Amino acid sequence: MMLKEALSAADCVALQLENDVERYAELGRKLRTTTFNTALTVARGSSDHAANYCAYLIMARMGRIVASLPMSLVTLYKSPLVTRDTLTIAISQSGQSPDVVEPIRYFRDGGATTIALVNDIDSPLAAAAEWAMPLRAGKEQSVAATKSFITSLVAGARLVAQWQNDPELTEGLAALPEALCSAAQVDWSPALEVLTPARNIMVVGRGISFPIALESALKFKETSALQAEAFSGAEIKHGPMALIEDGYPLLIFATRGPTQAGLIALAAEMRTRGARVLLAAPSDVPERDLTLPTAATPDLDPIVAVQAFYVMAAHLSKARGMDPDRPRHLSKVTKTN
């Protein structure tokens, strides 16, 4: 089921892009004419990784600082947060968890602009937000989120494209369904040889690729019971370096952009230290171990990169004797306060 749902992402993205066009345009006009002193994201798990990507686009393209809200400030500590002139963006597949819903309701009641990128448009989160934008991923059966994560990334990029009123990013989004179909066919089988017997792994990205490193590490844990940690390429030379020993696996996402050269150099250095490096990079990088698909513009590359990863992750789970659709101790909807 995980593999089937991952492979359906292209169709889900096409459906999303065909719908709510005027609604996104209206939201873009609203954002362009509103002054924000604070911008926040509200999310958990895979959705938080999607929020990380959306926040990166907002900061890089719009110049607005975005922070991830510790939800317990609202749900448990009842802190008197200033809400006016605030943009608050929640991302969720189910829209059910109280610790995502309550902050959005709190900020909306306080006069903030609230947006929910949510798959279940009839959920409490959708009702709580001023702007509820459906992901249109359809019902997801596998516990491990795949198509809903990809559609969350797309929804975040759509939001930014309309806010910035950027035709290049909008055109790049329109080309994503075809790019995702191609990404699903990329051969990442060399990763299975390294990771099937592995006990742990570091997943590395930087900048626009770091949210994908976070998501990949989570999927390794939940679908393959593989102890995985995500690090920025700028941080791995600090404390995490002490863990590197002969044969230690590293998956490095070197997507296009200003961080790519440093990540390629990091891969080379880690090889000299004995690490078993899996460098995922586009086809024009000769040092690569895994080929990263690319999108119409580098800012959308993480979306097609994670599509290639998901296909490999589903096969890896099976190769390790596990069921990716039923991870141990996990359920589809997690409700926390």
Side-chain angles (χ1 to χ4, degrees):
M1 188 64 69
M2 176 187 174
L3 180 59
K4 181 180 178 181
E5 290 182 344
L7 293 174
S8 73
D11 291 336
C12 297
V13 168
L15 181 64
Q16 185 195 126
L17 294 173
E18 290 167 2
N19 286 275
D20 309 304
V21 175
E22 181 51 39
R23 180 74 167 157
Y24 269 96
E26 183 184 358
L27 175 57
R29 290 190 291 270
K30 163 75 173 178
L31 295 175
R32 288 195 298 274
T33 57
T34 305
T35 299
F36 301 110
N37 292 326
T38 305
L40 300 169
T41 60
V42 181
R44 291 280 191 212
S46 289
S47 293
D48 191 43
H49 305 154
N52 193 308
Y53 170 74
C54 181
Y56 189 90
L57 290 180
I58 292 171
M59 289 188 280
R61 287 174 165 266
M62 306 307 302
R64 312 296 176 88
I65 302 298
V66 185
S68 175
L69 176 72
M71 284 91 91
S72 61
L73 289 174
V74 175
T75 62
L76 299 178
Y77 289 92
K78 309 300 180 183
S79 302
L81 301 178
V82 176
T83 56
R84 293 195 63 82
D85 300 322
T86 297
L87 171 64
T88 310
I89 303 169
I91 303 180
S92 175
Q93 189 278 133
S94 69
Q96 300 287 336
S97 187
D99 64 347
V100 176
V101 176
E102 188 176 335
I104 289 297
R105 188 177 292 124
Y106 176 88
F107 275 86
R108 184 178 183 180
D109 289 346
T113 298
T114 53
I115 302 170
L117 309 179
V118 59
N119 200 33
D120 184 354
I121 202 62
D122 297 318
S123 64
L125 176 61
E130 177 186 0
W131 297 82
M133 315 301 281
L135 301 181
R136 299 191 184 276
K139 187 171 179 60
E140 201 165 42
Q141 302 290 340
S142 176
V143 171
T146 53
K147 61 179 182 173
S148 64
F149 178 73
I150 289 174
T151 52
S152 296
L153 297 178
V154 173
R158 282 183 86 182
L159 183 158
V160 175
Q162 292 301 316
W163 186 356
Q164 193 177 22
N165 199 19
D166 186 321
E168 181 184 6
L169 187 57
T170 301
E171 290 170 10
L173 284 161
L176 270 178
E178 183 177 352
L180 285 164
C181 286
S182 298
Q185 304 303 315
V186 175
D187 180 17
W188 273 32
S189 59
L192 299 179
E193 301 170 18
V194 176
L195 299 180
T196 299
R199 297 179 59 190
N200 45 30
I201 185 172
M202 288 185 197
V203 189
V204 183
R206 192 176 182 191
I208 199 73
S209 68
F210 186 56
I212 304 308
L214 290 167
E215 172 64 8
S216 300
L218 177 62
K219 286 298 183 288
F220 280 137
K221 288 191 279 267
E222 68 181 354
T223 65
S224 285
L226 180 58
Q227 177 59 48
E229 291 187 82
F231 292 101
S232 164
E235 295 292 338
I236 197 170
K237 291 186 180 181
H238 296 279
M241 182 73 81
L243 295 174
I244 301 297
E245 58 186 4
D246 283 347
Y248 196 107
L250 269 76
L251 171 59
I252 300 177
F253 284 96
T255 56
R256 294 181 296 173
T259 65
Q260 186 185 68
L263 290 168
I264 293 171
L266 177 67
E269 180 180 348
M270 291 300 101
R271 286 189 174 109
T272 67
R273 294 176 181 273
R276 182 61 176 91
V277 174
L278 291 168
L279 175 62
S283 59
D284 63 348
V285 177
E287 304 96 322
R288 73 189 185 281
D289 301 281
L290 306 169
T291 299
L292 273 183
T294 57
T297 179
D299 277 352
L300 300 177
D301 281 355
I303 301 176
V304 292
V306 81
Q307 174 73 93
F309 170 81
Y310 279 153
V311 174
M312 184 277 292
H315 290 303
L316 176 64
S317 180
K318 292 290 186 68
R320 289 171 64 87
M322 303 189 68
D323 183 349
D325 300 327
R326 296 174 180 83
R328 292 182 297 189
H329 316 306
L330 299 176
S331 60
K332 186 60 186 170
V333 178
T334 303
K335 295 184 178 182
T336 50
N337 291 311

